[in-house]
């Protein structure tokens, strides 16, 4: 069938076209048939494979450092740290010595334990980190078995896979691959960050793609709108070729204007800031014209440290970012993990997506939370740090955060440590109870940040990672728009400001209604900032408000999108090809 369409998440502002190939890395075979040697021989074999893996990864890191404009070699550090982690080394050695396991069996059994932990993770961010662990274990086993990774014997221009790893993306890029499509992964996946740095067009979350495509099929990867077209007809190829050429020209034009403010034609200004996670992204904040950081995810520190990161380790990371963006601000989100991976927990939750994560977890682990709050407060001395609390559902949760923060402020004063006494504390709007109770929440928070990914998930009861129901997930569903609007109206009525840090902030079609609500800030992935600023400069607040009123009569996300698309094309006729849509034949 021509023009078979798979929709996913576009994570790069570019388009690639060409012959596809199914990238199928050799799956880790978690069983061992090798005859076991003596204990010392097995230990020696393990160490040989580990040292070879370390050398390969260090070489990979050096290659990344040599590549112009690529600032991502530290992504490999996660795997290097794993191979040197005392917990891993001691566990494997203990299995070989006391458990009488072979080197291969010891690695496999350790890996099975990890896999079990990760499968129970209710957090997509953490699940994405498992790909790094899986990648390094696969490398270690291949080296121990003296196997070659034959997955790249046959390749084309567009790689399609269940998922990729940072190292596989680097290898594919060196082979000239122009685009990648994966069923798994998300905006914060390390392979996505690397693909963006390498200029590889990328779509993730393309459910079902590996069942629909065969090696050699022609394919279009639209990293702008998150659409993948399999076996496009000639007319579609011509339209997307025009879109690709215009996207390159427009992106170049956008980058030239990246430092202009995001102000509508009738004078309404809005802050455009960056969502970041990794230290390597710090230099890019100003490079893309962002006004500071609207969302700093702090989970990276906890997942790459050998244990719980100390207050000092966290402070050094936070203060580096605060100083690099000064006088602009940085909004630091407190730990948004469950008690699943970083902190071993014996109890398995029956419904982890509705369970013990975010503020629910940190409030019940005060020692960990206290160290993080102290580090953030110490980094706030210049007055440009704000604290954001995730997974809030109850007002009492914010009251407890404030109570703990005041105690820490008192301690810091007694210790003579400088901090911002008026530091703002905000709540993520992810659970519908917050918009519904926004008047009351406004009494205890300084600002709100709309986390539209989770807000959509919890409002529509849709897991977008579930292939059978992901088609129901749309952040422009009228019900989600109603909750966003309710939050903004109630917050402004109580003199509080509202930002947006979910994916909807980088959706060009959604910008008119976000402006119509008069949100105060948009925070989005770095690469999308120039184009979002450009679109805002071409809109009028007055017309956006009228459009929002008209949207209120729409009954479905599809109706909303069609109406908004017409409005964007009326304002930006040159986007005709950028917003091109195709239908299945």
């Amino acid at each position: 069938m021509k023009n078979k369409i798979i929709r996913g998440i576009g994570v790069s502002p570019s388009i690639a076209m060409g012959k596809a190939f199914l990238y199928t890395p050799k799956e880790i075979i978690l069983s061992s048939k090798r005859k076991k040697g003596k204990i010392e021989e097995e230990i020696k074999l393990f160490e040989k494979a580990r040292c070879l893996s370390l050398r390969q990864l260090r070489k990979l890191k050096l290659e990344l450092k040599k590549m112009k404009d690529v600032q991502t070699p530290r992504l490999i550090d996660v795997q290097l740290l794993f191979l040197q982690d005392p917990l891993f080394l001691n566990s494997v050695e203990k299995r070989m010595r006391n458990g009488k396991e072979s080197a291969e069996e010891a690695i496999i059994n350790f890996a099975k334990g990890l896999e079990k932990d990760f499968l129970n993770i209710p957090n997509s961010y953490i699940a994405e980190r498992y790909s790094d662990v899986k990648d390094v274990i696969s490398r270690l086993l291949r080296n121990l078995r003296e196997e070659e990774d034959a997955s790249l014997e046959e390749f084309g221009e567009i790689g399609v896979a269940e998922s990729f790893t940072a190292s596989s993306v680097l290898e594919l890029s060196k082979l000239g691959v122009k685009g990648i499509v994966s069923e798994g992964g998300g905006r914060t996946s390390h392979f996505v960050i690397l693909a963006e740095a390498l200029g590889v067009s990328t779509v993730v979350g393309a459910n079902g793609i590996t069942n629909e495509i065969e090696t050699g099929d022609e394919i279009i990867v639209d990293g702008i709108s998150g659409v993948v077209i399999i076996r496009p007809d000639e007319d579609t190829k011509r339209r997307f070729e025009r879109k690709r050429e215009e996207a390159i020209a427009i992106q170049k034009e956008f980058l030239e204007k990246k430092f202009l403010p995001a102000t509508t034609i009738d004078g309404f200004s809005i802050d455009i800031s960056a969502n970041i996670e990794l230290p390597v992204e710090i230099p890019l904040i100003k490079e893309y014209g962002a006004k500071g950081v609207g969302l700093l995810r702090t989970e990276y520190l906890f997942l790459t440290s050998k244990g719980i990161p100390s207050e000092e380790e966290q402070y050094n990371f936070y203060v580096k970012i605060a100083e690099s963006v000064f006088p602009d601000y940085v909004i630091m989100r407190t730990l948004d993990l469950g008690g699943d991976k970083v902190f071993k927990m014996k109890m398995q939750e029956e419904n982890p997506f509705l369970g013990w994560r975010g503020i629910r977890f940190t409030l019940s682990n005060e020692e960990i939370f206290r160290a993080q709050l102290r580090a953030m407060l110490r980094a706030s001395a210049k007055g440009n740090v704000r604290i954001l609390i995730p997974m809030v559902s109850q007002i009492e949760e914010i009251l407890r955060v404030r109570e703990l923060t005041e105690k820490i402020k008192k301690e810091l004063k007694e210790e003579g440590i400088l901090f911002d006494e008026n530091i703002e504390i905000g709540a993520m709007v992810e659970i519908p109870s917050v918009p519904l109770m926004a008047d009351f929440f406004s009494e205890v928070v300084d600002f709100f940040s709309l986390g539209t990914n989770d807000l959509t998930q919890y409002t529509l009861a849709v897991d977008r990672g579930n292939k059978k129901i992901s088609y129901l997930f749309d952040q422009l569903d009228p019900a989600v728009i109603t909750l966003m609007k309710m939050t903004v109206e109630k917050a402004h009525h109580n003199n509080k400001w509202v930002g947006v840090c979910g994916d909807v902030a980088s959706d060009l079609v959604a910008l008119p209604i976000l402006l119509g609500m008069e949100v105060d800030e948009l925070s989005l992935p770095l690469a999308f900032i120039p184009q979002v600023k450009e679109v805002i400069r071409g809109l009028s607040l007055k017309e956006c408000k009228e459009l929002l009123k008209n949207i209120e009569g729409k009954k479905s996300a599809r109706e909303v999108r069609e109406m908004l698309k017409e409005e964007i094309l009326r304002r930006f006729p040159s986007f005709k090809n950028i917003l091109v849509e195709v239908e299945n034949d």
Side-chain angles (χ1 to χ4, degrees):
M1 183 176 74
K2 293 283 188 183
N3 281 358
K4 174 66 182 178
I5 297 169
I6 303 282
R7 297 184 188 278
I9 305 168
V11 290
S12 61
S14 60
I15 296 167
M17 307 168 70
K19 298 281 187 185
F21 68 100
L22 278 169
Y23 174 66
T24 51
K26 283 187 176 177
E27 192 63 28
I28 310 173
I29 299 173
L30 294 181
S31 62
S32 175
K33 295 181 179 177
R34 193 179 63 82
K35 189 177 178 180
K36 187 176 69 175
K38 294 178 181 177
I39 291 176
E40 293 306 321
E41 289 174 350
E42 293 300 316
I43 290 174
K44 190 176 176 182
L45 186 63
F46 168 73
E47 193 57 21
K48 182 183 174 185
R50 188 180 77 91
C51 289
L52 177 57
S53 301
L54 283 169
R55 286 198 299 275
Q56 291 170 342
L57 288 169
R58 285 171 181 146
K59 183 182 176 187
L60 204 57
K61 186 176 174 180
L62 277 175
E63 289 175 3
L64 278 171
K65 281 184 175 177
K66 290 175 185 173
M67 295 178 74
K68 189 178 179 183
D69 295 332
V70 175
Q71 304 180 54
T72 50
R74 287 190 63 179
L75 294 178
I76 303 299
D77 285 345
V78 177
Q79 298 191 26
L80 288 169
L81 279 172
F82 181 87
L83 288 175
Q84 299 169 89
D85 182 359
L87 176 66
F88 169 61
L89 299 179
N90 292 338
S91 176
V92 170
E93 184 172 346
K94 188 176 177 183
R95 284 178 177 279
M96 289 187 285
R97 288 192 183 282
N98 302 339
K100 311 298 183 188
E101 294 176 356
S102 69
E104 195 176 7
E105 288 170 335
I107 296 168
I108 288 169
N109 289 329
F110 184 87
K112 283 181 176 175
L114 279 181
E115 186 178 32
K116 187 178 177 183
D117 287 342
F118 275 100
L119 286 177
N120 289 310
I121 292 172
N123 184 313
S124 59
Y125 174 89
I126 304 300
E128 288 162 11
R129 301 287 82 78
Y130 181 53
S131 67
D132 292 319
V133 175
K134 193 174 175 183
D135 192 22
V136 72
I137 287 177
S138 178
R139 180 183 296 277
L140 188 57
L141 284 173
R142 273 203 313 273
N143 287 332
L144 190 141
R145 295 165 176 166
E146 297 183 344
E147 292 178 347
E148 295 291 328
D149 183 2
S151 57
L152 297 180
E153 287 177 348
E154 186 179 14
F155 64 92
E157 294 156 305
I158 311 290
V160 178
E162 286 279 347
S163 188
F164 293 91
T165 61
S167 57
S168 65
V169 168
L170 179 62
E171 292 297 324
L172 293 172
S173 175
K174 284 159 61 179
L175 292 169
V177 169
K178 298 185 293 188
I180 56 173
V181 185
S182 72
E183 298 214 12
R187 287 188 186 278
T188 59
S189 299
H190 285 173
F191 79 82
V192 170
I193 294 170
L194 186 60
E196 182 183 330
L198 294 166
V200 176
S201 300
T202 306
V203 170
V204 299
N207 289 328
I209 184 80
T210 54
N211 294 327
E212 296 288 346
I213 204 161
E214 293 181 6
T215 293
D217 280 344
E218 284 192 288
I219 184 173
I220 297 173
V221 181
D222 183 348
I224 300 169
S225 53
V227 171
V228 180
I229 301 121
I230 303 168
R231 297 177 288 278
D233 60 27
E234 291 304 313
D235 180 58
T236 301
K237 283 193 281 187
R238 278 194 292 273
R239 283 191 288 153
F240 272 84
E241 179 56 31
R242 287 197 296 273
K243 178 174 181 176
R244 190 185 71 80
E245 291 172 357
E246 289 179 16
I248 293 170
I250 289 174
Q251 189 67 11
K252 184 181 177 185
E253 182 185 335
F254 290 166
L255 282 169
E256 289 171 354
K257 299 177 183 175
K258 63 190 177 187
F259 295 120
L260 293 178
T263 303
T264 62
I265 56 178
D266 51 355
F268 176 72
S269 292
I270 183 170
D271 288 346
I272 306 296
S273 54
N275 291 348
I276 70 165
E277 171 196 5
L278 302 170
V280 295
E281 295 175 283
I282 296 173
L284 303 177
I285 297 168
K286 292 186 177 175
E287 193 173 311
Y288 278 99
K291 183 178 172 58
V293 176
L295 175 63
L296 172 66
R297 300 182 180 93
T298 59
E299 293 76 26
Y300 166 82
L301 277 174
F302 289 80
L303 293 171
T304 56
S305 297
K306 292 179 180 176
I308 304 300
S310 67
E311 175 188 322
E312 202 61 25
E313 285 177 280
Q314 294 185 65
Y315 165 73
N316 289 332
F317 179 55
Y318 302 150
V319 78
K320 183 178 179 182
I321 294 176
E323 289 180 349
S324 67
V325 302
F326 186 82
D328 293 330
Y329 57 83
V330 52
I331 299 176
M332 300 178 179
R333 186 180 68 185
T334 58
L335 186 61
D336 190 16
L337 296 176
D340 32 51
K341 182 66 195 84
V342 180
F343 318 104
K344 288 281 185 184
M345 146 175 118
K346 293 179 181 176
M347 179 189 73
Q348 295 297 323
E349 296 182 280
E350 290 187 7
N351 194 345
F353 284 97
L354 302 179
W356 199 38
R357 53 167 285 204
I359 190 59
R360 302 170 182 182
F361 175 78
T362 46
L363 280 178
S364 53
N365 286 275
E366 188 172 313
E367 187 178 345
I368 295 167
F369 196 29
R370 170 183 282 275
Q372 185 170 41
L373 288 175
R374 272 185 63 97
M376 289 179 173
L377 279 164
R378 288 171 59 195
S380 73
K382 288 191 173 182
N384 66 330
V385 171
R386 299 166 185 174
I387 296 175
L388 182 59
I389 309 299
M391 197 64 182
V392 173
S393 62
Q394 306 286 324
I395 288 171
E396 287 79 6
E397 292 165 336
I398 297 294
L399 291 175
R400 287 184 62 192
V401 171
R402 287 206 171 276
E403 183 182 354
L404 181 58
T405 305
E406 289 306 312
K407 285 181 183 175
I408 295 172
K409 284 180 179 178
K410 187 179 177 183
E411 291 172 4
L412 293 174
K413 272 185 186 176
E414 291 171 355
E415 295 168 24
I417 296 174
L418 295 176
F419 63 93
D420 178 10
E421 295 207 32
N422 299 311
I423 191 167
E424 293 186 3
I425 297 177
M428 286 281 288
V429 182
E430 301 165 289
I431 300 173
S433 63
V434 178
L436 293 169
M437 300 287 285
D439 276 329
F440 296 105
F441 273 100
S442 294
E443 295 174 5
V444 296
V445 301
D446 297 303
F447 67 94
F448 295 90
S449 185
L450 289 158
T452 52
N453 302 347
D454 275 342
L455 183 61
T456 304
Q457 173 172 263
Y458 289 127
T459 301
L460 303 179
V462 174
D463 173 10
R464 65 175 170 176
N466 185 326
K467 297 176 184 179
K468 293 182 179 177
I469 58 170
S470 60
Y471 69 94
L472 294 170
F473 186 95
D474 193 324
Q475 299 179 70
L476 291 185
D477 186 281
V480 181
I481 293 173
T482 299
L483 290 174
M484 289 195 283
K485 184 169 176 284
M486 184 184 293
T487 304
V488 178
E489 287 176 347
K490 290 183 178 181
H492 285 178
H493 178 72
N494 291 286
N495 298 315
K496 307 295 180 181
W497 65 270
V498 182
V500 182
C501 62
D503 284 351
V504 76
S506 56
D507 186 342
L508 297 184
V509 169
L511 291 177
I513 61 166
L514 296 177
L515 289 178
M517 292 177 194
E518 293 190 73
V519 298
D520 303 278
E521 178 226 35
L522 297 177
S523 188
L524 50 142
L526 286 156
F528 288 85
I529 288 174
Q531 64 191 48
V532 165
K533 291 176 79 172
E534 179 71 12
V535 170
I536 290 172
R537 286 192 289 266
L539 295 171
S540 129
L541 177 61
K542 183 181 176 184
E543 289 182 350
C544 287
K545 281 177 171 291
E546 290 173 0
L547 192 62
L548 181 60
K549 282 182 184 175
N550 295 332
I551 289 293
E552 289 171 5
K554 301 300 177 187
K555 298 174 184 173
S556 69
R558 184 183 180 87
E559 288 183 17
V560 172
R561 283 200 173 275
E562 285 176 355
M563 183 176 175
L564 289 173
K565 182 183 168 186
E566 284 181 15
E567 179 61 22
I568 287 289
L569 288 177
R570 188 176 72 80
R571 280 281 172 192
F572 303 92
S574 62
F575 282 16
K576 182 179 177 182
N577 291 321
I578 296 295
L579 297 178
V580 65
E581 287 284 353
V582 289
E583 299 293 339
N584 285 323
D585 282 348

